[in-house]
Amino acid sequence: MKIINKLISPKLLFIVCTVVMFYNCKSTYKTQEFLRENIPPKPDYTKEASWAVLPGKYTDSFKKYASNKIDTLKADVFYVYPTLITDKSDTRWNAPIADKKQNEKVLNKAVLMQASAFATCGKVYVPYYRQAHLRSYTLFNKGGKESQELAYSDVRNAFKVYLEKYNNGRPIIMVGHSQGTTHTSRLLEEFFDEKPLQKQLIAAYIPGIRIKSDTYNSIQAMNVANETGGFVSWNTYKKNKYPKKDKNRYKGSLTTNPITWDYSKKTNLNQHKGFLYTNGKIYKKALTIEITDGLVWSTNPKFPFRFFMSFLKNYHAGDINLFWQDIRENAELRTNTYLLKNKGN
């Protein structure tokens, strides 16, 4: 190992180890019964400590991607992060919001690589919540349902406090990914669909989960880049690859083109605006995509460590940051379009 460390940079070594662990980790989840007495303490969203991000609570790293004129922004962004509690040996069904290890992931992974894409079009709000463990999906009928219900109750309470304390009638962009989309989709159904609040909806960006075009009654899928009031969604895999256990898992789900934002089935390199990597750099013209069977098929992105990404088939973790600049510019376009349409209202 000492010899390897001399030959390989720490960052490269980390990537190698991550890939090796990914392909060798075949152990099953360690589980325990879902018991009410094991539930972590309920968050109080009237307290700033229960929020990962508030307009006056941006980390220095996040500020690099945010507007330097935050007080002039006329819209809000409500973001719900994906599942970050994934350790198979972790028997907890839900993570407490006081878990420093999980909160570090929230701020330096999810918020930095995903929510940052929206930080120039609105003031960003991100609640900590008692996120459900990843196994809540595979063991949905063995404790997973209760775990996800608990997580949603937090997100719901946070959104209610946001509306009552912070929103003040401002237009909203709703954003989620993976588990975050599971909860954000429910917020859309409960608070926006056929409700007065829908008038304040600029757009909902909800990738990472199967969403059908008819999921909502009045919130429509958007197929034009400057369309507002609806939603977009997609799931990303490596080109010519499908979900391992169910090839048709995403068939029939809404699949938005996250580069052109229209009905285009394919793109070229010149159309891709930028992939945000963990080194903080944006790689333009890095990939092409093809829409098929409910999936966004992506080529292996062109960036310094692309060899190691070639081992991956499921690009789920990159649903947002693979198209970071594309999403950023689109969110700005939709926000500006909404504000012009509703000028004077």
Side-chain angles (χ1 to χ4, degrees):
M1 182 60 74
K2 289 182 178 178
I3 295 175
I4 292 175
N5 280 335
K6 290 179 180 179
L7 297 175
I8 305 177
S9 69
K11 181 178 286 186
L12 194 55
L13 185 61
F14 172 78
I15 295 172
V16 174
C17 292
T18 300
V19 172
V20 172
M21 288 172 63
F22 180 84
Y23 279 92
N24 287 284
C25 186
K26 296 183 179 181
S27 60
T28 57
Y29 289 116
K30 292 184 178 180
T31 63
Q32 63 179 356
E33 185 180 356
F34 184 92
L35 300 173
R36 302 302 297 182
E37 53 264 34
N38 292 336
I39 291 176
K42 182 178 180 180
D44 180 355
Y45 293 106
T46 63
K47 297 180 179 179
E48 288 192 7
S50 296
W51 295 83
V53 178
L54 289 171
K57 190 183 176 182
Y58 286 6
T59 63
D60 289 339
S61 298
F62 190 70
K63 286 179 182 177
K64 294 178 182 178
Y65 301 108
S67 170
N68 56 11
K69 298 180 180 178
I70 188 171
D71 291 334
T72 68
L73 298 178
K74 298 180 180 179
D76 290 341
V77 177
F78 191 90
Y79 165 78
V80 187
Y81 50 84
T83 309
L84 298 170
I85 178 172
T86 59
D87 189 339
K88 293 190 176 186
S89 64
D90 191 335
T91 60
R92 297 176 299 177
W93 280 103
N94 296 81
I97 71 162
D99 186 320
K100 292 182 179 180
K101 182 179 179 180
Q102 293 300 324
N103 292 351
E104 185 76 13
K105 292 179 183 179
V106 171
L107 291 173
N108 296 322
K109 290 186 177 181
V111 167
L112 204 55
M113 302 303 292
Q114 296 186 345
S116 59
F118 302 88
T120 53
C121 57
K123 296 181 178 181
V124 181
Y125 295 82
V126 183
Y128 286 123
Y129 69 100
R130 291 171 292 182
Q131 58 172 298
H133 193 288
L134 181 61
R135 68 170 176 271
S136 66
Y137 287 94
T138 55
L139 301 177
F140 187 75
N141 294 318
K142 297 181 180 180
K145 180 179 180 181
E146 291 84 354
S147 176
Q148 290 190 20
E149 284 295 328
L150 181 70
Y152 177 66
S153 71
D154 284 357
V155 173
R156 182 179 186 275
N157 289 336
F159 189 67
K160 289 178 67 178
V161 171
Y162 157 74
L163 290 176
E164 295 166 2
K165 186 176 180 179
Y166 299 110
N167 177 254
N168 296 314
R170 291 160 57 87
I172 310 168
I173 293 178
M174 298 293 292
V175 185
H177 179 244
S178 195
Q179 180 175 164
T181 285
T182 297
H183 304 317
T184 301
S185 181
R186 291 184 65 177
L187 289 179
L188 290 170
E189 289 186 78
E190 184 174 354
F191 291 90
F192 291 87
D193 198 26
E194 297 185 317
K195 308 289 194 311
L197 192 61
Q198 187 177 346
K199 294 179 181 179
Q200 292 173 230
L201 181 64
I202 295 174
Y205 292 78
I206 46 176
I209 289 290
R210 290 170 290 179
I211 300 287
K212 292 187 176 182
S213 58
D214 61 354
T215 296
Y216 314 106
N217 294 317
S218 61
I219 304 173
Q220 303 299 312
M222 299 185 295
N223 295 296
V224 180
N226 65 349
E227 192 173 355
T228 62
F231 73 99
V232 291
S233 183
W234 62 91
N235 291 276
T236 318
Y237 270 72
K238 185 177 181 179
K239 189 173 182 179
N240 297 323
K241 302 299 180 182
Y242 289 93
K244 187 176 181 179
K245 295 182 179 180
D246 182 5
K247 179 180 178 179
N248 297 316
R249 181 179 179 186
Y250 294 100
K251 201 166 186 177
S253 62
L254 175 78
T255 309
T256 304
N257 185 319
I259 292 178
T260 63
W261 308 102
D262 57 20
Y263 289 112
S264 299
K265 296 295 183 182
K266 295 183 178 182
T267 65
N268 59 56
L269 280 178
N270 290 327
Q271 290 175 293
H272 179 240
K273 294 183 172 62
F275 156 39
L276 175 64
Y277 186 52
T278 54
N279 60 5
K281 294 183 179 179
I282 297 174
Y283 297 92
K284 301 179 180 180
K285 302 178 182 179
L287 55 86
T288 64
I289 62 173
E290 179 181 343
I291 309 299
T292 183
D293 294 333
L295 295 172
V296 169
W297 268 353
S298 171
T299 54
N300 187 11
K302 297 178 182 292
F303 74 114
F305 305 109
R306 70 189 306 251
F307 170 75
F308 299 99
M309 193 164 176
S310 67
F311 290 96
L312 299 178
K313 298 177 181 179
N314 185 347
Y315 287 178
H316 173 77
D319 279 328
I320 291 180
N321 63 298
L322 283 174
F323 313 103
W324 190 91
Q325 187 65 31
D326 305 84
I327 293 170
R328 188 180 186 88
E329 293 184 20
N330 182 255
E332 290 175 351
L333 175 61
R334 294 189 198 275
T335 299
N336 291 333
T337 301
Y338 177 96
L339 293 174
L340 283 174
K341 284 181 178 179
N342 293 275
K343 191 175 182 179
N345 291 351

